Amino acid sequence: MDLEMRDVERALRERASVREAKVMLQRFLSIAASVSKIESLLKLSTDSEDNQEAALAATSSDGEDQGKLMERVASEYNQLHFNVSQCSDVPFVVALKPRIAAIADTLEEGLQRSFVQAITSHDLLSLKQCLRTYAIIDRVGDAEVLFRHSVVQLFMQQVGAVRPAGKKEKEAGAVEMKKKKKEE
């Protein structure tokens, strides 16, 4: 009886191990599919980082279309981020990190451009969509910093309360946004 119990326990451990491996493989497949899907949506190429500018140009079409695209990319990015967080130290995921970083940079730049464009054109629908997208990827703080630097600071300059932002102030704003991103 004791021998049979040990055999059953061993078989259960083997099944659990196989189940864990299967879950990990499914995550890998999901990560690879998400990266490919987002790169195709953003028209990013895996061959060259220079293509990031082309991707930014491609995402700057109509405000409404761009907003929908950014929202779709953000949703997929959120799923990608979750799966990567579950297995971030695995060599497969480590090898994809540069591509994931390029996706994050392109998404961030597209959102910043959309946000500023929506504010300057007083397009409330685009602004709502952009803010919703920032919320999807849990980067509302970035939108707040961008608003502070692109609107409040300009207004304060117009009323003469603040001197124009120099290179150091702009860099400090960028550093502040990157710090918040790293804390997440």
Side-chain angles (χ1 to χ4, degrees), residues 26-148:
Q26 288 173 334
R27 280 208 177 100
F28 291 163
L29 290 172
S30 180
I31 289 169
S34 290
V35 168
S36 294
K37 182 176 181 180
I38 294 170
E39 285 176 339
S40 70
L41 286 171
L42 293 176
K43 296 178 176 58
L44 285 175
S45 171
T46 57
D47 299 334
S48 169
E49 289 185 22
D50 295 335
N51 209 18
Q52 189 171 2
E53 289 180 23
L56 287 173
T59 60
S60 63
S61 58
D62 284 345
E64 187 176 328
D65 290 341
Q66 180 183 6
K68 287 179 182 177
L69 176 66
M70 286 292 128
E71 205 168 352
R72 187 172 169 197
V73 167
S75 180
E76 190 69 32
Y77 178 78
N78 214 20
Q79 181 179 354
L80 171 66
H81 187 67
F82 171 77
N83 284 321
V84 166
S85 72
Q86 299 298 309
C87 52
S88 61
D89 295 334
V90 178
F92 173 76
V93 175
V94 171
L96 288 176
K97 292 227 176 178
R99 289 172 64 188
I100 295 170
I103 288 169
D105 290 345
T106 305
L107 177 61
E108 183 179 332
E109 290 173 17
L111 277 173
Q112 288 175 354
R113 192 176 47 258
S114 295
F115 184 76
V116 171
Q117 183 179 356
I119 288 174
T120 56
S121 66
H122 305 289
D123 185 354
L124 189 58
L125 291 175
S126 293
L127 183 60
K128 284 180 182 179
Q129 193 167 37
C130 189
L131 290 172
R132 192 171 43 244
T133 305
Y134 270 111
I136 288 172
I137 60 172
D138 199 26
R139 296 274 171 84
V140 175
D142 290 355
E144 292 170 354
V145 169
L146 185 58
F147 181 79
R148 191 169 39 243

Side-chain angles (χ1 to χ4, degrees), residues 116 119-120 146-165 170:
V116 171
I119 288 174
T120 56
L146 185 58
F147 181 79
R148 191 169 39 243
H149 286 285
S150 64
V151 176
V152 174
Q153 192 171 44
L154 291 175
F155 178 75
M156 295 305 285
Q157 288 172 4
Q158 288 174 351
V159 297
V162 175
R163 63 177 169 58
K170 290 179 182 176

